[in-house]
């Protein structure tokens, strides 16, 4: 039996960026987000960023891309910067990177997350979604979907624990992605290993109002600020609009530990006011003395 997921994760020839994007865009994660990404989403930002990167004191060594989905746009970003003389190391994070393929007999396979939460079914050559949409409540299709999920999740989790599952990474197989470090990481959880490292952080199509509460956005922004390499570091927050282009804002972290706007595309980021309103960290007198000498 041939499974679509096998052609994405294991085929000897890498799938095209489009085939990958189509496959991953249909995966709905446990927290309700889709692994949705598309190549060439950020062309409007690419050229605009360059003068700010060139003007930065101290070069560009480490870049962090947050909520990258498969990382296809991270690859594009890294390649773009490389073409323009910036040879930065790239770290890419997402809440859901690790997944598992579990065979159920000869004709069925499930792609699930580490807790056995189903992300895609394949049955007799048909690929099916495990998640429900609004229409399913009218047609009653939600019922078999909910029952299947409830029954399967413990079984899939057990298969993972027993080593009867194939571990896969929901990241692009483009060869250029090999130099990118992918980390499964929650932007809501402060991660000491990321602190103070990055001269540029991009948060694209993740810090969305309506998806996260104002408190969560503030928490994520506080974490992001702690990952920046101090004043002069840059933060790009952007969201791709319905009609292709982006609404986003480029910020710089100032000596006052506050973000300031450097540039905008479209209508600017919808979380601009959250970023500008982020209170400076309270630093101890000792740290202050050390900083000012
Ligand atoms: C719409 S995709 C954006 C992908 C890519 N940045 C782009 O713009 O094409 C949003 C991604 O954010 C990830 N995500 C959701 N909540 C997250 C969290 N708390 N921490 C890190 N990533 C998260 C999702 O798994 C998903 O892959």
């Amino acid at each position: 039996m041939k499974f679509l997921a096998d052609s994405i994760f294991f085929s000897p020839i890498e799938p095209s960026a489009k085939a990958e994007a189509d496959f991953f865009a249909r995966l709905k994660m446990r927290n309700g987000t889709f692994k949705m990404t598309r190549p060439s989403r950020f062309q409007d930002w690419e050229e605009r960023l360059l003068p700010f990167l060139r003007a930065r004191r101290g070069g560009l060594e480490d870049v962090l891309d947050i909520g990258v989905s498969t990382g296809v746009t991270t690859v594009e970003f890294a390649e773009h910067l490389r073409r323009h003389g910036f040879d930065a190391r790239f770290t890419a994070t997402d809440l859901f990177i690790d997944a598992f393929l579990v065979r159920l007999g000869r004709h069925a396979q499930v792609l699930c997350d580490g807790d056995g939460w189903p992300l895609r079914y394949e049955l007799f050559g048909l690929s099916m979604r495990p998640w429900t949409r609004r229409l399913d409540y009218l047609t009653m299709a939600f019922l078999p979907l909910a029952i299947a999920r409830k029954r399967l999740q413990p079984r899939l989790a057990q298969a993972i624990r027993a080593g009867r599952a194939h571990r896969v990474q929901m990241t692009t197989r483009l060869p250029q992605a090999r130099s990118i470090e992918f980390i499964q990481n929650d932007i809501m959880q402060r991660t000491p290993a990321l602190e103070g490292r990055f001269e540029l952080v991009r948060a694209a199509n993740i810090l969305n109002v309506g998806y996260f509460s104002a408190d969560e956005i503030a928490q994520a922004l506080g974490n992001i600020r702690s990952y920046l390499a101090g004043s002069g570091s840059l933060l790009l927050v952007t969201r791709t609009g319905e009609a292709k282009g982006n609404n986003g804002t480029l910020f710089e972290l100032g000596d006052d530990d506050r973000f300031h706007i450097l540039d905008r595309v479209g209508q600017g980021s919808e979380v601009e006011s959250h970023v500008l309103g982020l209170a400076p960290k309270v630093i101890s007198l000792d740290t202050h003395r050390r900083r000012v000498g």
Side-chain angles (χ1 to χ4, degrees), residues 162-175:
R164 283 184 282 105
H166 241 103
R167 192 191 201 102
V168 290
Q169 281 217 315
M170 295 187 283
T171 52
T172 177
R173 289 180 59 203
L174 286 170

Side-chain angles (χ1 to χ4, degrees), residues 136-156:
D136 295 334
Y137 291 91
L138 287 179
T139 61
M140 298 304 280
F142 79 94
L143 209 58
L145 286 172
I147 292 170
R149 239 184 359 240
K150 198 165 182 332
R151 293 240 167 114
L152 276 173
Q153 190 180 0
R155 208 172 143 189
L156 298 170

Side-chain angles (χ1 to χ4, degrees), residues 29 31 33-38 41-42 65-70 73 93-96 185-188 204-206 211-212 240:
M29 304 295 117
N31 71 349
T33 50
F34 282 89
K35 262 205 137 10
M36 180 81 82
T37 187
R38 289 268 155 220
R41 291 183 118 175
F42 303 114
D65 203 5
I66 289 170
V68 298
S69 182
T70 64
T73 59
T93 67
D94 198 279
L95 186 54
F96 300 102
N185 181 264
D186 184 351
I187 189 52
M188 299 302 160
N205 295 306
I206 170 162
Y211 172 50
F212 289 121
T240 315

Side-chain angles (χ1 to χ4, degrees), residues 221-222 225-226 228-232 252-260 275-283 291:
L221 288 170
R225 184 174 55 190
S226 78
L228 289 172
S231 77
E252 183 182 41
L253 188 64
D255 291 334
D256 55 359
D257 211 31
R258 284 188 177 277
F259 285 104
H260 306 273
V275 180
L276 297 177
L278 194 69
K281 275 192 303 282
V282 180
I283 56 170
R291 274 197 195 169

Side-chain angles (χ1 to χ4, degrees), residues 255 281-293:
D255 291 334
K281 275 192 303 282
V282 180
I283 56 170
S284 72
L285 208 56
D286 267 4
T287 316
H288 180 70
R289 283 204 194 100
R290 258 183 273 125
R291 274 197 195 169
V292 293

